[in-house]
Amino acid sequence: MAERSDRAPARWRRPFLRWLDGVETGWAVPLLIVCFVALWTIYLAVAYAGSGLHPDTLEAWTLGRRFAWGYHKHPPLMGWVTAVWTAVFPLSDWSLQLMAMANAGLALFFVDWIARQFVTGHKRILVLLLLMLTPAYQFHAQRFNANTVLLALWPLATWCFLRAFETRSAAWAVAVGCTTALAMVGKYYSVFLVASFAFAALAHPARRAYFASASPWISVVTGLAALSPHIYWLTTTGASAFTYAMAHANGNFVSSLGEVQNFLLGLVAAISVSAVFWVIIAGTRLKQFAADFAAMSSGLRLLFYVAIGTIVLPVLTSLAMGTDLPSLWALQGLFLFVVLIVCGTRYPIERFYTVNVTVITAIVGLAAVFVAAPIHAVYRNNHGYEEGRNFYAQVANELTREWHELTGEPLSAVSGDDSLAFATAFYSPDHPYYARPFEFQYTWGMPRKTTLDRGWAALCFSGQDYCGRWMESVSARAEHFVRRQFTVQATLGGKPGLTRDVVVLIVPPRTSSATPESAAQDFSASRRPTDYLGFALSSGCRGFARGLRSRRGE
């Protein structure tokens, strides 16, 4: 049937076949990727209408507001990317949603660079379509963070490595060093990609020629030089980002076995839909797998060793060190296996199948936009998110309004629950800075006196006991403060949804014209008598607060 369809295609197939004819002329792949990015950006806009951005994306934006060669929680690349993007595009939900999907589209573009070294024509399209049927390039990609920033970097670095190994030229060697350095400042998990390059080069039959050339050594020197600013930052700041990464190594051999099992099962699940489609496409030709593997080209064999390394090395490390090993950390490497399977086949694939997969991929995307996304938005409007994304903009605007009424000045610093603090920094028209240094993000230390003197606010959702207790401790340290509680409600297209209470602590700046007395008058219409508690207790607590030993914190 497939051969007959290729000889005499149905009328509806002809536009798709003309599109496939454009693969080698250079326009078919970009068109596919642009459509993919546009479709799934619309999905994000519809599915999360009435909700804020994911906290990971807001954290990336927060990091990027202050350029540094490193940050105390994550390597810096995700912050750099977000800073560059928001320097060009507006500071809005759709902008950062587009950024996340553009990153996924760029990843697919780099994967095509690898695929076209081994195949031509519609097989290149098939590689991309099978990847689009995995969750890595839409649902995983939309949470722009240290994991998803690797989606584009891993295929780019892999392509450079393949070219450097094949040509052994200085230019490609430099490219390998630069791209692997970028991957490392994306997330330290990329050490497994770098180690896989070394493993692949050693396992390949052409290893002698490669290591006898200057190429690998140029790559090492270039990579260390490119990483040197970050390495210097690590050595001069206590390597807190590395310490944060090593905090995941807190298990034992038994727990690691469970981590490894879930890691492998998660990757299998992520690629399972694509695998089913490939079985349908290959059919009885799957029995040629062993022969195809034995006849694999030199470049594909090198890619095979890289792929094996990216799975085996994390597994061995987890078993040896007792580390966590979520499968999400490895989704950026799925492309290696899809390229190997599709490009490693020596038999031709009928265009009939590529057209079918194209149509199915399009149907999935359209169903996601027009069916799943509205249902998701309505459901979340009524049931909410654990992190409270439905309320981010409302909370930020209400806190900013109350701050302006009290102080008459812009809100400059915010803290408290991380998701609320990141969201307030982003959605407030004042765009205050996240006040808690990332090295103390999980220790709930006390704000410095200078921080309180400049003016400061904190937010918690009602019922967050750990955050509420921390607010009480800060209240004892502040000379004067206002504590408020208000209710916010989610809305979707004007339809009211879930409600939630938020507690805020406002410490006006010392230079503000607001005083405890005037502030009490400003908030005399408060819904809760606890609004006056700060002023009633402030004088009695002041002497005690001065005697407290200051702890490092904000």
Side-chain angles (χ1 to χ4, degrees):
M1 182 176 66
E3 293 179 359
R4 185 171 62 252
S5 176
D6 280 1
R7 288 194 303 269
R11 189 170 184 177
W12 68 268
R13 289 180 176 271
R14 292 171 187 170
F16 293 99
L17 295 174
R18 285 195 293 271
W19 166 61
L20 293 179
D21 289 338
V23 172
E24 295 306 316
T25 57
W27 63 271
V29 169
L31 178 62
L32 173 65
I33 293 174
V34 167
C35 290
F36 173 81
V37 170
L39 186 67
W40 285 98
T41 301
I42 295 171
Y43 166 82
L44 294 179
V46 175
Y48 296 97
S51 302
L53 294 167
H54 193 278
D56 286 359
T57 305
L58 295 173
E59 183 180 42
W61 173 78
T62 299
L63 284 174
R65 298 183 74 185
R66 291 183 174 127
F67 176 80
W69 290 113
Y71 301 109
H72 287 279
K73 181 179 178 181
H74 296 296
L77 185 62
M78 69 177 189
W80 295 349
V81 171
T82 312
V84 171
W85 184 270
T86 52
V88 177
F89 291 89
L91 202 62
S92 62
D93 286 4
W94 72 262
S95 171
L96 293 189
Q97 288 164 346
L98 176 61
M99 178 190 71
M101 293 314 304
N103 178 59
L106 191 63
L108 294 169
F109 186 69
F110 291 147
V111 170
D112 182 63
W113 282 5
I114 296 173
R116 66 185 179 182
Q117 292 190 70
F118 308 111
V119 293
T120 59
H122 69 101
K123 268 193 173 183
R124 288 169 52 189
I125 294 288
L126 190 57
V127 169
L128 301 183
L129 292 172
L130 291 176
L131 286 173
M132 290 176 183
L133 291 172
T134 70
Y137 295 88
Q138 331 82 1
F139 305 111
H140 176 59
Q142 62 107 359
R143 299 173 53 173
F144 188 80
N145 55 23
N147 294 314
T148 57
V149 77
L150 301 181
L151 281 172
L153 284 172
W154 273 37
L156 176 60
T158 302
W159 178 67
C160 292
F161 172 68
L162 293 175
R163 299 295 294 146
F165 190 90
E166 178 185 355
T167 66
R168 296 187 287 279
S169 72
W172 284 114
V174 169
V176 172
C178 292
T179 53
T180 52
L182 271 178
M184 286 298 295
V185 295
K187 187 171 183 177
Y188 298 143
Y189 186 89
S190 295
V191 70
F192 295 121
L193 179 67
V194 178
S196 296
F197 288 167
F199 166 72
L202 288 168
H204 197 274
R207 56 185 171 271
R208 183 181 299 274
Y210 178 65
F211 284 106
S213 72
S215 180
W217 319 115
I218 292 175
S219 297
V220 170
V221 172
T222 303
L224 289 175
L227 275 176
S228 59
H230 181 64
I231 294 172
Y232 177 78
W233 180 88
L234 286 172
T235 59
T236 56
T237 58
S240 55
F242 188 75
T243 302
Y244 175 80
M246 291 305 297
H248 292 280
N250 54 8
N252 52 46
F253 184 77
V254 175
S255 65
S256 294
L257 283 175
E259 290 285 337
V260 167
Q261 174 182 303
N262 292 335
F263 173 77
L264 297 175
L265 289 176
L267 293 179
V268 169
I271 207 168
S272 59
V273 173
S274 299
V276 169
F277 276 101
W278 179 252
V279 169
I280 295 172
I281 291 169
T284 59
R285 294 174 292 192
L286 282 174
K287 62 186 179 182
Q288 300 182 37
F289 177 80
D292 288 345
F293 181 82
M296 191 178 289
S297 68
S298 173
L300 282 174
R301 189 167 298 278
L302 185 67
L303 197 67
F304 169 75
Y305 292 134
V306 173
I308 294 301
T310 60
I311 300 299
V312 172
L313 294 177
V315 165
L316 294 178
T317 301
S318 179
L319 293 174
M321 300 180 61
T323 62
D324 299 339
L325 196 60
S327 58
L328 289 176
W329 290 357
L331 290 184
Q332 68 277 357
L334 291 179
F335 75 93
L336 292 162
F337 299 93
V338 175
V339 170
L340 282 168
I341 292 297
V342 176
C343 299
T345 57
R346 292 186 297 164
Y347 49 84
I349 301 296
E350 295 81 4
R351 297 204 297 176
F352 168 85
Y353 293 112
T354 304
V355 171
N356 287 354
V357 178
T358 301
V359 172
I360 292 170
T361 304
I363 290 173
V364 169
L366 292 172
V369 170
F370 292 106
V371 180
I375 292 174
H376 179 272
V378 171
Y379 176 83
R380 289 302 186 181
N381 190 53
N382 296 323
H383 295 85
Y385 301 81
E386 181 180 357
E387 65 270 19
R389 292 169 65 176
N390 306 68
F391 313 106
Y392 284 171
Q394 299 95 309
V395 170
N397 290 328
E398 178 62 18
L399 173 61
T400 304
R401 184 189 67 80
E402 295 192 0
W403 177 273
H404 287 176
E405 286 184 359
L406 176 62
T407 69
E409 299 178 10
L411 176 62
S412 61
V414 66
S415 187
D417 173 73
D418 276 345
S419 65
L420 283 176
F422 293 149
T424 301
F426 185 85
Y427 291 105
S428 168
D430 292 343
H431 298 301
Y433 277 89
Y434 175 75
R436 182 183 300 142
F438 278 89
E439 63 265 43
F440 305 112
Q441 187 177 9
Y442 300 114
T443 61
W444 291 91
M446 292 297 99
R448 296 188 181 96
K449 186 178 184 302
T450 54
T451 301
L452 297 178
D453 289 345
R454 288 192 298 265
W456 174 90
L459 313 90
C460 304
F461 282 116
S462 180
Q464 290 180 319
D465 293 338
Y466 61 92
C467 191
R469 289 192 298 269
W470 173 76
M471 273 190 176
E472 294 291 342
S473 301
V474 176
S475 301
R477 185 172 189 176
E479 293 189 0
H480 58 278
F481 61 90
V482 174
R483 187 180 174 114
R484 299 290 305 274
Q485 182 166 326
F486 54 81
T487 302
V488 288
Q489 185 169 38
T491 59
L492 178 64
K495 182 178 180 180
L498 191 70
T499 61
R500 198 163 178 181
D501 291 338
V502 178
V503 180
V504 300
L505 181 68
I506 298 175
V507 179
R510 290 179 62 87
T511 57
S512 172
S513 59
T515 64
E517 291 77 15
S518 64
Q521 293 172 3
D522 287 342
F523 290 104
S524 60
S526 168
R527 296 189 297 266
R528 297 178 182 270
T530 54
D531 293 344
Y532 301 101
L533 181 62
F535 303 124
L537 294 178
S538 61
S539 59
C541 293
R542 194 174 301 141
F544 174 72
R546 288 172 180 166
L548 289 175
R549 182 177 181 181
S550 176
R551 292 188 297 171
R552 294 188 71 187
E554 299 169 14

